[in-house]
Amino acid sequence: MLARPPSTATFVARRVFGSLPLVGIIGLYQLPGDDSRWFAVRKTGFVYSWAHDDAVRTRRTLLDISSRVANVPEGGLTSMAFDPKFGQNGRVYLFYTTPGPLTVRISRFVSPDGGVTIDGGSEEILISQEQSSEFHHGGTLAFGPDDYLYVALGESGIRSASQDTSTILGSMLRIDVSGDVGYRSPAGNPFAGGGGRPEIYAWGLRQPWRWSFDRETGDIWCGDVGDALWEEVNRVELGKNYGWPIREARHCFRATTCDTTGLTDPVVEYSHEEGNAVIGGYVYRGAAIPELEGIYVYGDWGRGKVWGIYRDGNGLPESRLLMENDFRILSFAEGNDGELYLLEGTKIFRLEKAEPPGEDTFPRKLSETGYVDAGDAREAAECMIPYDINVPFWSDGAEKERWVTLPEGEKIHVGAEGDWEFPVGTVFMKRFRLGGKLIETRLLMRHEDGEWAGYSYEWDVGERDATLLVGEKTKDVGGVEWTYPSRAQCLQCHTVAAGRVLGAETWQMNRSVLYPSTGRTANQLMTFEHVGLFDAPLGADPETLPVLPDPGDESEDLAERARSYLHANCSHCHRPGGTARGNADFRFGTAFEDMNVCNVTSDNDLGVPGARLLVPGDPSMSILSLRLHATDTNRMPPIGRNVVNVAGVEVIDAWIASASPCDGENAIVLDNETPGTRRVGNWGPSSAPNPYGPGSFYSLNPDNTYHYDVTLPSAGVYDVYLWWTEWPSRLTAVPVDISHAGGTATVTVNQHTNGGRWNLVGQWTFGNSATVTIHSLGGGSTCADAVRFLPTAGQ
């Protein structure tokens, strides 16, 4: 087995507390003035503590409020803060979300015994802010050098809230909690005298997940998670507006121009070509790495990158890459000694200066690895066992060949659900061809430390040999932009949750293949069992074991084919414990109602208002489809996929179009010309395509009205959608007034781009009955073909 190549990074993330059982750890803290213990918050609602000793094996549970916590994608118990006078008052502050309706709470608890326990019955709720989404709640609270408590809240999916100072959403708050009960707003806050919420310190934020104070200067550094294109780091100052949603970082949001008057620029920004969710860190004030003194260190959740903010030759801030990891960073932490830590959820790492690299003996040429014929690198070595899978991962149209080898005497363990576990020393090899030419060979191997690593070799033009690549590379191959992944990127798809190995599992391997060495065709499972590669008999004939259906085989069930495609291309991240945001589960064996996608909202609507992960009957409103169609930074899978798989996407779209309404969905849809609808004025039947239902009508004159009267199951807040036909010959800017219980909304209809789909036009409060009136404002104005009421999340 090849030895792992030495790291050339200047800094490394060194694992600590490796013997502790950790799950869902997203915050790590120490008591003021006490370096002997660590305290951690678990997302599901627990507070733990343990000794400050890398060899520690046990932890103590201080608090369990899991029954009060809503563990939603960007919520749960997300942070804690000790009162500066904890030694005298025992006060602890928690930031968490609670269900029914979904609400962010900032609460004060008391530890009666100096941090040995926290009294769950002592809770005093200080701030309670209802949320409209499972995303963008903020998540951090901390005491400043002025002993005030600072709290950052996201905009909860209501973009306009970040510019509305009558709400605390999308803002940094500052409150004085030194009194016996409750809190007061400091007189220095910008709206303490009126004009906005007195708690607000600064505003215009989107999702300030992690932020911190510089312990030396008192500056507030905040990583504000962006929307679809840009991430930003801000230095948050009193009374400043940071621009969301007018701007995303320094860029006008979904507009070519915007009014930037009064907006504060971020310190640095980066595009989604570099990462996809900023994780705010800390200014380094430790002693172990003197060259980092005063440098703000932050990272990216999606790429595992860590940067530091330095000054360039002109004194301007610039980011420099410090290291790249193969895990997703959930949070940073700072010890009392100023040293920094990275949290992955199940593991904790300390930022350290890397040791000088040792001798690098890792083969630079594929022909030197021992896994191909030394005389002809195009031929696999005799130790390599060829295999194939039922549904390949889409790789921009490349043809692929696969081999695996195990150490002598070692076996494969087959889990209860058909997942395979491979021993240390296992090596997988995959070869890629585009247009019949060899372009890349990848090795995936499990090293002596039990960890997996991926290596990419680029073939030369003459196909004589391939050369090891150190980092990511992109080049044009016959008109296709081909991406060679970095080593860290390899493990972002080969996730821990998926067992690192993606294709080798029972329902992928249950197929017959031709073995070139014998010229025989045989079932792979039977062959592997026959040659003794499993540690126990399969105990079943392959014909009785599950098989992933071919997505392109129209004789198979459409839903099965679509789910098979999602399993092969998406489930490595979208599964329990996976690295994707949200709770979607795309494993083939997951029942549709348990996939957590049907009418589920996302923190990014991809510019399609009202879009949800999967809207039955409408791919154009389904984020799942939109991402598969995308070729920009919104694409899925996000790494190394530059070409749309047209055939695969067609299967997904056909499945979505044929999907039945979600179980339990109480959306109400009313089509025109059905009971409950009435029209006033001169309307004519339309022959435009894509109507909702059997037909549609359009206004022949201004001032015509069309009324939808509907009975709702309960009073409350509803998302209201309207469906317009798609007709290129109609006007692209048709003004229409939509009257409802709360007032009137004016929308401009573009039937070129907004037709043939549901369009979210408002979120309004209704009683048990509702009337929505479409009012034509000009000639050529159009009627909505149908109206749809959907209760908002949490109702």
Side-chain angles (χ1 to χ4, degrees), residues 146 148-150 172-176 186 188-189 199 201 238:
D146 52 10
Y148 292 142
L149 182 64
Y150 291 70
M172 176 76 74
L173 313 180
R174 181 174 68 166
I175 58 176
D176 182 352
N189 282 2
E199 301 95 332
Y201 180 84
L238 179 68

Side-chain angles (χ1 to χ4, degrees), residues 358-372:
E359 183 183 1
D360 187 358
T361 60
F362 201 85
R364 292 295 183 270
K365 295 293 184 180
L366 185 63
S367 59
E368 300 167 353
T369 62
Y371 305 121
V372 297

Side-chain angles (χ1 to χ4, degrees), residues 54-94:
D54 280 359
V56 66
R57 293 179 175 273
T58 58
R59 69 186 187 198
R60 173 190 293 271
T61 301
L62 280 68
L63 179 67
D64 175 1
I65 57 168
S66 56
S67 61
R68 309 176 204 179
V69 169
N71 184 24
V72 294
E74 292 186 2
L77 174 55
T78 58
S79 70
M80 68 183 295
F82 293 105
D83 194 287
K85 297 181 179 179
F86 177 83
Q88 290 78 47
N89 59 32
R91 290 177 169 181
V92 182
Y93 296 81
L94 298 184

Side-chain angles (χ1 to χ4, degrees), residues 445-506:
M445 57 183 64
R446 192 172 189 186
H447 287 289
E448 289 183 349
D449 58 5
E451 298 293 339
W452 290 85
Y455 305 95
S456 175
Y457 286 84
E458 178 186 10
W459 280 89
D460 58 36
V461 176
E463 299 184 16
R464 295 177 297 272
D465 208 342
T467 303
L468 179 67
L469 296 176
V470 176
E472 178 185 4
K473 178 177 180 178
T474 300
K475 75 174 185 180
D476 183 274
V477 179
V480 174
E481 185 182 3
W482 183 260
T483 298
Y484 299 85
S486 70
R487 295 169 192 176
Q489 286 174 329
C490 285
L491 297 188
Q492 288 170 16
C493 285
H494 289 268
T495 62
V496 171
R500 293 297 192 194
V501 179
L502 305 184
E505 56 185 356
T506 298

Side-chain angles (χ1 to χ4, degrees), residues 127-129 153-154 161 164-173 197 199-200:
I127 293 176
S128 184
Q129 174 62 50
L153 296 183
D164 180 2
T165 56
S166 69
T167 175
I168 59 176
L169 292 172
S171 298
M172 176 76 74
L173 313 180
R197 287 289 295 265
E199 301 95 332
I200 291 176

